[in-house]
Amino acid sequence: MEIWSLRGKKILIVDDLPDMRTMMRTLVASLGAEDIHTAKDGDQAMAAMIIHKFDVVLCDYALGEGRDGQQVLEEVRHRGLLPYSAIFVMVTAETSTPMVMGAVEYSPDDYLSKPIPKATLQTRLRNLLGKKEKLHPILNAMQQHNYTVALTQCDYLMEREPASRFELLRLKGELLLTTGAYEKARDLYAGILELRELPWAMLGLGKALYRLQQYDAAVEVLRRLIDSHPMVVAAYDLLSLALEGQGQLQEAQEVTAQALQRSWKSVSRQRRYGELAFRNEDYESAEKAFKQALRVGKGSCLRGPAEFAGLALTMVKRGVPVEAIKTVETMAREFREDTGAQVHVALVGAQVQQGLGNAALSQESTKRAVQLFQEHPETVTGDVAMDVAQLCFQQGDADAARDLLRYALRNQHEDAATQQRVLHLFNEAGLASEGQSFIDATVEEVAEINNQGVRLAQEGRLEESISFFEKAARGMPGNVVINLNAAQSLVMFMRKQGATRADVQKAELYLGRVRDLDAANSKYQKLKELLNQMSVSH
């Protein structure tokens, strides 16, 4: 029988204390590891994970200045730096509930308390790596975004490994949710719950019901989950969203507060609480939440302009204009290298000055936002474009407002919420008779552009179709249909003429945009699968 060891595995040890790094290195070396890397802080850890694909990461929670272990894990997950087949183990001497909850919430593969006996580390790593190895066909397909293959592998392994049935059902449910098969996910989780009341199945059912906009049923399931398992923090977040879907904003805020009591080291949760409090005109709570979001977000990749914007606008409502303006100035400094964020900075500056009654300064900031948008439209989100458009309408610059709204619509021409918001802005500006015709004309324009590109492809003029869609995608980087058809033309061309690295990379760019916007899109799934096959054969 072969003796288990870490031989052949690439290991990363992250700890701010040199003695602990040495001790951990000695420990994993005694288990057969030879390819061992170390990092003294979050920055070094991230840099190492960008360069190398590790099999095992042993990361201390407290890393001194900069990112802590939770933030490292958070960023690793957010940026997809760790393969599905790898394991991330959080190591800490810290045992306070907030620290433990914060660390566990981001789903490390395991959690170990110092000091770590060799036998404990060996048992944990052997079990974790064995489990990953067993799931390798599924995890490999997930890594390639081949979700159809991953689902097929789940069913196949369930027949071969009945003892792992619930583990595989859990993976299958997550895959169904990822691919947007919400009704199938709902039915799967409901079936599991008839056999056994498992918290992950209840949470999965809540997610499926929420995605299906069956808010009443989602609220009922999630309340039941919280009653039976009050430490499942994700249930509170989802319940808050479902309550918002019901229009129960006050209750949504209260539930988010309960989640924060259990785990407060989350930028997104603090931000959401601030936004709900602002909408509920609870400005004192909003101020505390946005400030907390900025504090806990220090060093996190998830800290963005929204926390600054929320705080600045809250300070206006609180009647502290100096603090509001200082917040905008800090926001401008922090995101001075980010063009897209600078548009947001100018927008918030204009909103703050408007709130303070400084019309001239507000107009100046609005013009700055419009100028930045005209120079770099591809960096502006639809929501920010519509917010700037609202200010333009209010300040009498209807032409600039139309340009911004046309951009927002072109990028989300099939999105009902965007169309409703545009219509509302026209109505608010006293241009009700223009709104619907503006929307119809823009949607028709996008449809005609798309049809023209598709016709070229159908006529076999694939190179012309590719050039046409590439140009269209430059003007509409957030349009799912245009990006999908740009990728499809490239895939069709490569199937006919053979794949080149340059064409594969172009197709990956367009599919990457769709993945960020609509990963559940079935056409995206099919094209991704075709592209992966080409990449492998290439």
Side-chain angles (χ1 to χ4, degrees), residues 65-78:
E65 295 292 324
R67 297 179 182 89
D68 60 25
Q70 176 184 326
Q71 290 168 330
V72 170
L73 177 56
E74 190 177 41
E75 187 158 348
V76 163
R77 300 278 191 233
H78 182 72

Side-chain angles (χ1 to χ4, degrees), residues 369-424:
V370 172
Q371 182 187 350
L372 288 167
F373 161 73
Q374 291 169 341
E375 292 171 356
H376 305 284
E378 72 283 356
T379 65
V380 181
T381 66
D383 286 339
V384 169
M386 288 189 282
D387 285 344
V388 178
Q390 184 176 29
L391 284 170
C392 288
F393 270 140
Q394 291 168 353
Q395 295 168 5
D397 191 351
D399 287 342
R402 290 188 187 94
D403 287 344
L404 287 151
L405 294 179
R406 192 174 292 109
Y407 173 81
L409 276 171
R410 281 175 172 168
N411 278 284
Q412 295 173 292
H413 73 291
E414 294 182 329
D415 182 62
T418 299
Q419 292 185 16
Q420 286 175 0
R421 174 99 196 270
V422 171
L423 192 61
H424 172 76

Side-chain angles (χ1 to χ4, degrees), residues 10-26:
K10 193 181 287 291
I11 315 288
L12 176 64
I13 295 166
V14 189
D15 201 303
D16 60 324
L17 301 175
D19 290 347
M20 284 304 301
R21 292 198 297 275
T22 301
M23 191 200 77
M24 290 298 291
R25 174 187 276 276
T26 303

Side-chain angles (χ1 to χ4, degrees), residues 480-517:
V480 170
V481 174
I482 296 295
N483 280 286
L484 276 174
N485 283 330
Q488 184 170 22
S489 292
L490 281 159
V491 168
M492 290 170 70
F493 179 77
M494 287 188 281
R495 293 184 83 178
K496 193 173 180 181
Q497 301 292 336
T500 66
R501 185 176 299 279
D503 284 343
V504 168
Q505 288 175 342
K506 281 183 189 174
E508 285 177 339
L509 167 70
Y510 298 125
L511 290 181
R513 288 177 180 174
V514 178
R515 182 192 61 226
D516 293 342
L517 296 163

Side-chain angles (χ1 to χ4, degrees), residues 186-234:
R186 176 197 59 195
D187 295 345
L188 178 80
Y189 286 123
I192 294 168
L193 290 169
E194 286 180 7
L195 300 172
R196 194 182 297 178
E197 189 155 298
L198 297 164
W200 58 262
M202 295 175 78
L203 184 63
L205 179 59
K207 287 179 183 174
L209 291 168
Y210 171 74
R211 291 295 183 184
L212 291 166
Q213 299 186 8
Q214 296 175 10
Y215 300 128
D216 292 349
V219 166
E220 190 270 331
V221 168
L222 293 165
R223 285 200 188 284
R224 193 153 48 89
L225 172 57
I226 289 171
D227 285 345
S228 57
H229 299 84
M231 299 311 285
V232 181
V233 184

